[in-house]
Amino acid sequence: MTDTRVISTWTEFTRNSAVYLLITFVAIKVYKFLFCCNRTSEMSSFSMATHPEALRRERILNSKLYFDVPLSKVSIIYSSAYNIFFLGIEKLHPFDSTKWGRVCKFLVSDGFLEEKSIVEPLEASMTDLLVVHSENYLNSLKSSATVARIAEVPPVAFFPNFLVQQKVLYPFRKQVGGTILAAKLATERGWAINIGGGFHHCTAERGGGFCAFADISLCVHFAFLRLRISRVMIIDLDAHQGNGHETDLGDDNRVYILDMYNPEIYPFDYRARRFIDQKVEVVSGTTTEEYLRKLDDALEVASRNFQPEMVIYNAGTDILDGDPLGRLKISPDGVTSRDEKVFRFAREKNIPLVMLTSGGYMQSSARVIADSIENLSRQGLIQTQPE
């Protein structure tokens, strides 16, 4: 009887020990697995943190700003969200903050464009913007005073930031999405026009001159990775120097910058001027004939100096005679000729072209832009009707 109890006790002890050992073994394996996963995650995070280019690459590849556009749409990008309406205070700035919508209305009413054929872009997210901008800069936009300085409208500083985000920065983020998407469309169809964008005064770390986000710099980085473009030419023909993209991209030998600007007006960024590959200065009072002659010469030189795979054309209309900020004397027909020359420059070399409307501080700018786009259509340089 005693022997039986001893054997039973020993059997139970052995079984319990086996279960204990099994549980311990499994626990050790699970711990090792979790430790390895955590270490891998930490190493991955560390790698991303210490290699900004890897993080930039990940953000670009995960972005939703590139999407397929059906052939029922043409290569003209616009959203009604581009236009800025902010309790009337937007009128305190000379920029026509409804210019973009008025351009499209002219194109539609003139029979050159159907509303349903216009491409609407997505809004650039915080992650998209971080491809170029720092977190510190983007966080600074949570201050209404900072946005007021950038937009050059002091009363904006007194409004709650959530309202400033909605009424000012959201339209800008939509236009950034349009600029980035335009590069994809241009590579597929030869050209694309964003009826907006061209915020050429904004750098990765600082906004200014009514430019809160560096859409040109962002567009270039997306094109390098997603479109496998290796050489980009920026032709900046806004009256003001494009100091934003010059600061961001000036030391990148994959980018060639032709900037034709009035040196006697904002931004007086002499440091950024050192990054311009081809500088063409047109002083206050420059007339249409002289301007177009200088442009012809500049395009010929650019053609010899650089062979781009994409052209980004910043087509500001502040060169118009009477513009209070540009101070040049270019006629509306001169703007039309200018745009046609740039499009022919790209077409003759079979280079995809992205056009951005950028600056222009007169009510007449919208009509001039629409007339120029209609001329491009008549000349067969663009197609404003679906295939």
Side-chain angles (χ1 to χ4, degrees):
M1 188 72 175
T2 303
D3 292 342
T4 303
R5 280 200 299 270
V6 170
I7 293 171
S8 175
T9 301
W10 174 255
T11 302
E12 185 177 351
F13 172 77
T14 303
R15 184 171 61 248
N16 290 342
S17 296
V19 171
Y20 174 77
L21 288 171
L22 179 62
I23 292 173
T24 302
F25 176 78
V26 171
I28 291 172
K29 287 293 186 181
V30 170
Y31 174 78
K32 285 184 175 179
F33 174 76
L34 293 175
F35 176 79
C36 289
C37 287
N38 185 55
R39 186 177 180 186
T40 301
S41 176
E42 288 179 354
M43 289 177 66
S44 177
S45 299
F46 177 78
S47 177
M48 287 298 184
T50 54
H51 298 285
E53 284 304 318
L55 186 54
R56 171 181 283 170
R57 177 184 177 85
E58 181 186 39
R59 285 168 173 158
I60 293 174
L61 292 177
N62 290 333
S63 175
K64 298 179 180 178
L65 294 179
Y66 277 2
F67 56 86
D68 292 330
V69 176
L71 292 177
S72 59
K73 305 281 189 179
V74 298
S75 300
I76 293 181
I77 301 170
Y78 165 76
S79 168
S80 59
Y82 281 14
N83 303 292
I84 298 175
F85 301 98
F86 195 0
L87 306 176
I89 65 171
E90 72 277 359
K91 295 177 182 177
L92 296 176
H93 193 281
F95 189 86
D96 177 10
S97 60
T98 62
K99 174 181 78 172
W100 310 291
R102 293 175 59 235
V103 170
C104 283
K105 284 182 181 178
F106 285 134
L107 293 172
V108 170
S109 64
D110 292 349
F112 279 84
L113 187 65
E114 297 180 50
E115 283 190 38
K116 64 181 181 181
S117 65
I118 297 172
V119 179
E120 175 158 0
L122 298 174
E123 172 195 4
S125 67
M126 176 71 79
T127 303
D128 294 322
L129 297 172
L130 283 168
V131 167
V132 165
H133 294 291
S134 68
E135 286 191 38
N136 285 339
Y137 173 69
L138 295 179
N139 286 334
S140 76
L141 299 180
K142 295 176 183 177
S143 162
S144 295
T146 299
V147 180
R149 176 189 62 78
I150 293 169
E152 300 175 333
V153 181
V156 168
F158 301 102
F159 286 85
N161 190 256
F162 78 89
L163 198 58
V164 174
Q165 292 285 334
Q166 178 186 356
K167 296 294 186 179
V168 181
L169 296 181
Y170 172 67
F172 286 156
R173 289 192 295 267
K174 283 286 278 189
Q175 293 189 45
V176 170
T179 297
I180 292 172
L181 177 61
K184 179 178 184 293
L185 261 181
T187 58
E188 295 169 350
R189 306 187 185 184
W191 64 276
I193 299 173
N194 182 20
I195 308 290
F199 304 131
H200 65 158
H201 296 308
C202 186
T203 72
E205 298 292 344
R206 182 176 175 83
F210 208 69
C211 301
F213 302 112
D215 65 324
I216 294 176
S217 302
L218 284 159
C219 179
V220 169
H221 281 292
F222 270 73
F224 281 155
L225 184 59
R226 294 282 290 268
L227 304 177
R228 301 186 183 279
I229 297 293
S230 60
R231 296 184 304 278
V232 174
M233 178 181 289
I234 298 172
I235 300 178
D236 195 335
L237 301 187
D238 187 276
H240 299 83
Q241 175 199 347
N243 59 318
H245 58 75
E246 289 160 6
T247 300
D248 289 343
L249 303 168
D251 59 354
D252 191 328
N253 58 18
R254 298 171 297 175
V255 180
Y256 183 92
I257 299 173
L258 162 57
D259 196 348
M260 190 167 169
Y261 63 94
N262 184 346
E264 300 171 353
I265 60 175
Y266 177 92
F268 304 108
D269 193 334
Y270 299 101
R271 180 182 178 278
R273 288 182 190 179
R274 293 182 299 165
F275 296 119
I276 303 174
D277 297 287
Q278 190 178 340
K279 179 168 54 179
V280 182
E281 296 185 342
V282 283
V283 298
S284 301
T286 297
T287 60
T288 302
E289 184 178 356
E290 182 183 0
Y291 182 93
L292 293 178
R293 178 181 57 77
K294 285 193 171 186
L295 176 58
D296 284 336
D297 294 342
L299 291 176
E300 185 176 342
V301 171
S303 179
R304 292 196 302 266
N305 289 349
F306 195 73
Q307 289 72 49
E309 294 178 352
M310 173 176 287
V311 169
I312 297 177
Y313 171 36
N314 202 44
T317 47
D318 47 4
I319 65 171
L320 280 166
D321 187 8
D323 189 285
L325 301 185
R327 300 183 191 172
L328 302 178
K329 292 188 176 296
I330 313 305
S331 67
D333 287 343
V335 171
T336 297
S337 296
R338 175 199 70 171
D339 294 348
E340 183 178 333
K341 287 176 183 293
V342 176
F343 269 79
R344 289 195 183 281
F345 169 83
R347 171 65 68 86
E348 288 169 1
K349 297 168 178 55
N350 197 30
I351 304 168
L353 182 146
V354 172
M355 174 177 166
L356 312 172
T357 56
S358 200
Y361 304 92
M362 297 194 300
Q363 286 290 314
S364 61
S365 280
R367 180 70 263 182
V368 172
I369 294 169
D371 286 344
S372 180
I373 293 173
E374 291 174 8
N375 175 68
L376 294 173
S377 178
R378 283 192 294 266
Q379 298 298 323
L381 295 168
I382 65 173
Q383 186 174 342
T384 56
Q385 296 295 329
E387 294 181 5

